[in-house]
Amino acid sequence: MRTQGQLVERLKSSGVIKHADVERAMRECDRKHYVDGGIPAAYAYQDSPLPIGYHETISAPHMHATCLELLREHLTEGARVLDVGSGSGYLAAAMGVMVGDTGKVVGIEKHPELVEQSIANLRKDHPELLDDGMVELRTGNVLGDALDGEEPFDAIHVGAAASTLPDVLVKKLAPGGRMVIPVGSQWDYQVMQCIDKDEGGQVHKHDLMYVRYVPLTEPGEAW
């Protein structure tokens, strides 16, 4: 596959992309802008994770599509969205396309160098998302104080594996909202969980699939 369009067609034909809004977001966000500059262009559109530095990767496109499909009913016009471990910025950009002019995506990444790079990536692909305030990318740790003062979010994507479900993220999930998060040991496969909070505030958990993610670390914890 040599173009974003070919990649999206492959994900559609394999049944990973099921809905037009997810298809549009992934067509409009070109993965070549979010991979490491040293990666040959031919690899940008392969359905596999790629290193972005600092022991992190950009997820495989099928995982981006899967998470967008799981969250799509909450990625509507005007929604508030949190992207934990926003990395090179691809999923934050795609979610920004989906929530539109009145929505807001907050991407939080612990490595300041990756935050700088992700901002540069969006500048190449979708500068309007930054200029118009639909996407905000910043350095922080959600297990520390990065979410202090933030209103609840309609959708939360976590791109790193938590050893247990973080209470701070459950509290920041709005009633009626959904979170997708990998949970489990950093030394083994984890389980992707779907966390739904109903309008009464009750939390419901569903195990979805086995995955492998880098760990979600505590403030000051090395990885």
Side-chain angles (χ1 to χ4, degrees):
M1 293 173 286
R2 296 184 177 276
T3 68
Q4 186 70 20
Q6 290 174 345
L7 172 59
V8 170
E9 286 300 322
R10 175 68 64 86
L11 295 172
K12 281 182 64 181
S13 65
S14 63
V16 179
I17 293 179
K18 302 177 175 67
H19 295 92
D21 50 356
V22 172
E23 177 184 353
R24 179 176 70 89
M26 292 199 67
R27 283 190 187 278
E28 291 188 14
C29 298
D30 196 323
R31 194 172 189 246
K32 73 178 181 183
H33 296 302
Y34 300 88
V35 301
D36 188 276
I39 299 291
Y43 288 94
Y45 302 114
Q46 301 308 303
D47 190 14
S48 60
L50 292 171
I52 57 174
Y54 306 95
H55 304 288
E56 293 196 18
T57 62
I58 180 174
S59 294
H62 75 269
M63 286 307 305
H64 282 156
T66 296
C67 291
L68 291 174
E69 285 283 350
L70 288 168
L71 292 170
R72 61 175 292 274
E73 293 183 359
H74 307 269
L75 298 174
T76 53
E77 184 75 34
R80 276 179 51 81
V81 183
L82 175 64
D83 185 20
V84 178
S86 49
S88 65
Y90 183 87
L91 205 59
M95 293 190 293
V97 169
M98 293 179 74
V99 302
D101 295 347
T102 59
K104 177 79 172 188
V105 177
V106 177
I108 297 182
E109 167 58 51
K110 68 179 182 179
H111 295 291
E113 299 88 350
L114 284 180
V115 174
E116 291 180 11
Q117 185 58 54
S118 65
I119 291 171
N121 295 341
L122 262 75
R123 286 275 173 220
K124 291 182 289 186
D125 196 31
H126 280 286
E128 77 284 357
L129 295 178
L130 297 170
D131 294 340
D132 296 340
M134 286 100 82
V135 174
E136 175 188 347
L137 301 169
R138 66 176 190 249
T139 305
N141 190 310
V142 297
L143 301 183
D145 60 2
L147 298 179
D148 290 357
E150 287 285 353
E151 294 296 317
F153 296 91
D154 303 297
I156 299 176
H157 166 263
V158 184
S163 56
T164 59
L165 183 63
D167 187 58
V168 64
L169 294 180
V170 176
K171 288 180 178 178
K172 287 296 182 179
L173 187 62
R178 170 172 285 187
M179 170 167 53
V180 292
I181 178 172
V183 178
S185 169
Q186 70 180 69
W187 306 116
D188 202 351
Y189 284 95
Q190 303 98 23
V191 176
M192 182 67 81
Q193 292 188 343
C194 181
I195 312 298
D196 289 313
K197 183 182 285 188
D198 65 28
E199 294 295 344
Q202 292 294 312
V203 174
H204 308 274
K205 306 176 187 178
H206 307 280
D207 292 345
L208 300 173
M209 67 193 82
Y210 287 106
V211 293
R212 194 72 179 267
Y213 279 75
V214 299
L216 183 67
T217 55
E218 298 279 350
E221 183 180 0
W223 168 249

